[in-house]
Amino acid sequence: MWKSKRNVRITYTPLPAPSAQVDDLVRYQTLTSSKEKRVEGIDTPSAGAKGGEWDWRGKGWLKVASSHWEVLGWGDLGSDPMLEDGKAEGEGNQWVVTYFAKTLFTPAGIDVYSRRKEGVGRELLERIKDELGGSGDAAVKKLAGEVFEVVRD
């Protein structure tokens, strides 16, 4: 979905209590335009799920679109001794890996998000891909090979 996009930013904002829903705002640019585009929706915890699974429904003209997504893993790297330099890529790097199901508009996929503008870093991304590739789930294994870095500028 993101191969023809750049500067992708996703913001999740909890809706007021007692709602368990989350406002989901995606902002991005195409590779050839400076104009920012937006995709807005609402995430609702999936019924019967034990946590980390969500059902997305678009807002406005995208209300007809829906998707299921789930958190596969996350981390908060301070100084990670497993990285070659011990801290440069990991310092202050909070990240999450999600799987999203096929929709009317997109194929199924895996996304890796980071709070840092620079992303998770190449080395950590490769580690995440390796871990996903070792999954017992055939679909996750296949999608792990398709993970790529989104263009940022």
Side-chain angles (χ1 to χ4, degrees), residues 44-107:
T44 303
S46 293
K50 295 178 183 165
E53 294 186 42
W54 299 84
D55 294 312
W56 177 88
R57 167 79 57 194
K59 287 184 181 178
W61 67 271
L62 277 177
K63 194 162 186 126
V64 297
S66 63
S67 178
H68 176 80
W69 65 275
E70 55 191 87
V71 175
L72 297 180
W74 68 91
D76 185 357
L77 298 179
S79 181
D80 186 341
M82 292 184 70
L83 295 174
E84 288 175 11
D85 64 6
K87 71 176 185 178
E89 269 195 312
E91 191 115 355
N93 193 355
Q94 295 175 320
W95 54 271
V96 64
V97 179
T98 63
Y99 161 83
F100 55 94
K102 179 183 174 194
T103 71
L104 289 170
F105 306 106
T106 62

Side-chain angles (χ1 to χ4, degrees), residues 30-49:
T30 64
L31 294 176
T32 58
S33 173
S34 61
K35 182 178 179 186
E36 183 178 85
K37 296 189 177 195
R38 299 164 65 100
V39 175
E40 298 181 57
I42 298 290
D43 296 309
T44 303
S46 293

Side-chain angles (χ1 to χ4, degrees), residues 121-140:
R122 185 150 301 171
E123 187 177 341
L124 178 56
L125 184 62
E126 289 304 316
R127 283 178 45 203
I128 291 169
K129 287 170 64 172
D130 287 347
E131 290 293 325
L132 292 169
S135 167
D137 184 299
V140 169

